[in-house]
Amino acid sequence: AQKITQTQPGMFVQEKEAVTLDCTYDTSDQSYGLFWYKQPSSGEMIFLIYQGSYDEQNATEGRYSLNFQKARKSANLVISASQLGDSAMYFCAMREGRNTGFQKLVFGTGTRLLVSP
Amino acid sequence: KAGVTQTPRYLIKTRGQQVTLSCSPISGHRSVSWYQQTPGQGLQFLFEYFSETQRNKGNFPGRFSGRQFSNSRSEMNVSTLELGDSALYLCASSSRVVASTDTQYFGPGTRLTVL
């Protein structure tokens, strides 16, 4: 069965610094997709970044990048130049069967990030 | 393009009642998935609908059901509510194109409180 592990319940970072949020995963599937979502206190899940298991390059989206190490089964999120608005819960998620359209996401327990001035 | 919308945003019900939540996907998206989020169990997949058919179901009792209409809007229903059903219910839509970057976009959620 799929499993996502986020070992950091909470992280603190100062504004303008970079921060790495850890995510490891476990799957027997060769084809899968990895996602990061941000959930502010309002509750909405905001999509940040995606990495496919066959993608050779690490994904980047603006200030977000995903440090994908397939052999170690890790998909860490790096936020550069943190902003106060980055304070939120961050969830790592995995979808099996990248090319099948299979839509079930399995989520980790999340990391609460607090950005201080 | 408008995002995923969910109604109502907040609901208070009592045990034994039933409730219906609604989700309108992003225009052009044909897949709608539902998730339950609780402090104890985290985010759990409920079910996915595509072309008015349930394609996948999570490990939830039969009290949880859903449907999808021809315009891709979806509803989920919970019958005989229990205290443990109190949760944030999130709906997500995707285009369900068979492509590597198919992504689920979430709505703001419906917060259900069962008293």
Side-chain angles (χ1 to χ4, degrees), chain B residues 1-48:
Chain B
K1 192 183 257 191
V4 178
T5 58
Q6 291 186 246
T7 57
R9 293 293 310 279
Y10 302 91
L11 264 179
I12 299 176
K13 293 285 187 179
T14 56
R15 278 181 297 173
Q17 287 187 311
Q18 74 165 16
V19 67
T20 300
L21 312 181
S22 180
C23 172
S24 293
I26 292 170
S27 177
H29 284 191
R30 298 170 61 196
S31 168
V32 173
S33 298
W34 290 88
Y35 293 83
Q36 181 197 63
Q37 185 177 24
T38 61
Q41 300 298 317
L43 279 149
Q44 294 184 288
F45 173 80
L46 279 157
F47 29 64
E48 183 213 352

Side-chain angles (χ1 to χ4, degrees), chain B residues 85-100:
Chain B
D85 297 333
S86 295
L88 179 66
Y89 290 88
L90 291 160
C91 162
S93 79
S94 73
S95 61
R96 218 179 191 271
V97 171
V98 182
S100 61

Side-chain angles (χ1 to χ4, degrees), chain A residues 29-45:
Chain A
D29 200 352
Q30 295 302 309
S31 174
Y32 50 88
L34 296 158
F35 300 79
W36 278 92
Y37 287 89
K38 170 185 177 182
Q39 188 177 42
S41 56
S42 61
E44 182 173 359
M45 298 282 283

